[in-house]
Amino acid sequence: METLQVALDERSYPILIGPDLLTDGTILRAHIQAAQLLVVSNEVVAPLFLDRLTGRFTDRHVATVILPDGEAHKSLESFSQVMDTLVSARFHRDCCVVALGGGVVGDLAGFAAACYQRGVDYVQIPTTLLAQVDSSVGGKTAVNHPRGKNLIGAFYQPRCVLADTNTLKTLPPRELSAGLAEVIKYGLILDGEFFCWLEDHIAALRELEPHALRTAIRRSCELKALIVAEDEREAGRRALLNLGHTFGHAIEAATGYGEWLHGEAVGAGLLLAAKFAARSGTLSDADVARIESVLKAAALPTSIDGLAAEQLLDLMALDKKTRRGELRLITLTGIGAGSIVNNPPRHRLMEVLKDCGAV
Ligand SMILES: NC(=O)c1ccc[n+]([C@@H]2O[C@H](COP(=O)([O-])OP(=O)(O)OC[C@H]3O[C@@H](n4cnc5c(N)ncnc54)[C@H](O)[C@@H]3O)[C@@H](O)[C@H]2O)c1
Ligand SMILES: [Zn+2]
């Protein structure tokens, strides 16, 4: 097992990574001590892991909220359902909310914990690769509004993150690849050596080789924790974590959410950002080729064939990462070196979208 710390003064917390955390009563009970627990999960994850978890807490008051599967349920309705359960079970200020699932469950449960009685403890038990390397770490919590993703939320840190790598065994391969996009992103913005390691280990990761998995998750969490510790509320460097995301969000929006997984759109977005960097003279064509080949090895899309370039550009301009109406794009000045460009020229964005197959 690996343990690392997110350093945020009195809000600091550990991330534990390893196989079988969910069957280890000692670890679970050491990190979840409240007398009243509310486990939030969904209809796919609960049948797989819920009993394993609750079986360790038969001496506590445990309530559960099991949501239907899907991003559509990261909603104010689900939030209300969690609040109703907390209130009707008479949960106190010192209860603990436990998120058991992917990023959807984690974001929603975290936001509910931030709001119930102005904030109660919560623990993340992420069960997708994306949640283990990204959404469970860093304290961004939210629900969606019909008009936009993550519009209602809070920065609120968990008490700890327990990432059981064995839970990934049941994850569909497409979801695993989607998580790999975020892993590759960390290497690209912050750690060239880690990117080289990924070039050699993508196949092992896709086969869930335990050592490779633990290394990739640990390094990803370390890099994210480093950035979050420096810039918890995204006033500066945390924006680097959006590499590939301005393009990615536009792809998700243009295809109506659901056709592309978020991580798949980010995968294509990473290549688009690399091509933007190459056209701006800050990245070599050889590096772009390396990035493309890692993405392909991770079974991520590298083309946006047939999507409308003009529409994507308009959607990019609307992305919430824009500041004072200016588009802020994350680009690369090398592998392992992310940087921020304000107001990237529209014609160059158009060129890279077309390079990747947009029309
Ligand atoms: N808070 C943040 O910083 C942050 C960062 C990135 C993404 N997010 C959010 O995370 C969400 C995406 O997270 P996600 O990719 O984990 O999606 P998800 O939670 O929808 O999970 C993906 C799918 O896998 C299923 N699943 C989960 N664990 C499983 C397992 N072990 N075995 C089999 N199936 C399993 C889920 O039921 C779902 O169908 C989005 O809402 C996004 O906005 C938040
Ligand atoms: Zn992402």
Side-chain angles (χ1 to χ4, degrees):
M1 189 186 70
E2 314 248 0
T3 306
L4 54 110
Q5 193 75 7
V6 184
L8 289 165
D9 301 323
E10 73 284 359
R11 294 185 310 292
S12 297
Y13 56 94
I15 304 171
L16 279 66
I17 302 157
D20 296 321
L21 297 186
L22 262 177
T23 47
D24 189 325
T26 313
I27 290 184
L28 288 174
R29 293 175 66 88
H31 288 90
I32 307 175
Q33 294 184 349
Q36 297 176 313
L37 308 178
L38 175 73
V39 183
V40 182
S41 191
N42 78 14
E43 286 170 353
V44 172
V45 177
L48 297 169
F49 310 118
L50 182 64
D51 288 351
R52 239 182 260 184
L53 175 66
T54 53
R56 301 290 165 178
F57 295 101
T58 47
D59 57 338
R60 314 277 180 90
H61 177 182
V62 180
T64 53
V65 171
I66 309 301
L67 300 166
D69 188 26
E71 182 74 36
H73 301 283
K74 199 173 106 176
S75 62
L76 280 174
E77 289 73 24
S78 304
F79 173 86
S80 285
Q81 194 182 334
V82 174
M83 289 301 134
D84 291 347
T85 308
L86 287 163
V87 173
S88 41
R90 298 176 193 279
F91 270 37
H92 304 139
R93 174 75 192 79
D94 55 4
C95 69
C96 179
V97 175
V98 179
L100 175 68
V104 165
V105 161
D107 278 15
L108 168 82
F111 182 54
C115 296
Y116 185 61
Q117 302 210 9
R118 301 194 185 87
V120 297
D121 285 354
Y122 80 110
V123 168
Q124 292 272 13
I125 306 186
T127 62
T128 64
L129 181 60
L130 185 128
Q132 294 188 353
V133 299
D134 191 358
S135 61
S136 69
V137 176
K140 279 191 184 178
T141 72
V143 296
N144 301 324
H145 184 274
R147 297 281 293 277
K149 275 192 67 172
N150 298 326
L151 287 184
I152 306 158
F155 285 97
Y156 193 63
Q157 302 292 342
R159 283 289 161 206
C160 82
V161 180
L162 304 172
D164 182 333
T165 50
N166 274 352
T167 60
L168 303 180
K169 288 181 180 165
T170 49
L171 197 64
R174 258 184 88 187
E175 298 285 353
L176 190 81
S177 292
L180 287 174
E182 306 284 358
V183 174
I184 294 167
K185 175 193 80 178
Y186 293 118
L188 288 175
I189 50 179
L190 292 164
D191 186 347
E193 230 173 84
F194 180 46
F195 183 86
C196 293
W197 181 89
L198 285 170
E199 286 180 304
D200 294 336
H201 291 86
I202 284 285
L205 289 169
R206 290 184 64 201
E207 284 157 22
L208 301 180
E209 200 277 299
H211 182 70
L213 211 50
R214 210 157 62 230
T215 305
I217 296 169
R218 192 206 58 224
R219 190 64 188 139
S220 298
C221 288
E222 262 169 12
L223 292 167
K224 180 156 185 189
L226 212 72
I227 290 265
V228 169
E230 219 180 277
D231 178 20
E232 187 179 2
R233 289 176 166 261
E234 198 168 318
R237 247 164 79 80
R238 187 165 180 169
L240 292 179
L241 297 174
N242 296 320
L243 180 72
H245 280 64
T246 305
F247 289 112
H249 290 152
I251 295 169
E252 287 183 273
T255 52
Y257 294 101
E259 188 185 328
W260 289 58
L261 297 179
H262 169 74
E264 292 174 333
V266 169
L270 293 175
L271 183 62
L272 287 156
K275 291 199 176 210
F276 176 88
R279 282 192 175 268
S280 309
T282 62
L283 192 72
S284 70
D285 289 337
D287 282 344
V288 176
R290 284 173 68 193
I291 294 168
E292 184 162 4
S293 95
V294 166
L295 293 169
K296 285 194 165 135
L300 286 161
T302 51
S303 115
I304 49 169
D305 270 347
L307 297 188
E310 282 289 347
Q311 185 196 5
L312 289 169
L313 280 177
D314 291 344
L315 287 164
M316 286 173 74
L318 287 177
D319 193 79
K320 70 177 180 328
K321 305 299 183 222
T322 53
R323 262 201 173 175
R324 294 181 211 98
E326 289 186 354
L327 178 59
R328 239 183 351 161
L329 189 78
I330 312 306
T331 179
L332 295 170
T333 54
I335 286 185
S339 74
I340 301 175
V341 201
N342 288 315
N343 277 330
R346 194 175 160 99
H347 70 88
R348 187 163 296 150
L349 294 171
M350 180 66 94
E351 285 162 4
V352 302
L353 289 168
K354 291 196 167 163
D355 283 348
C356 284
V359 291

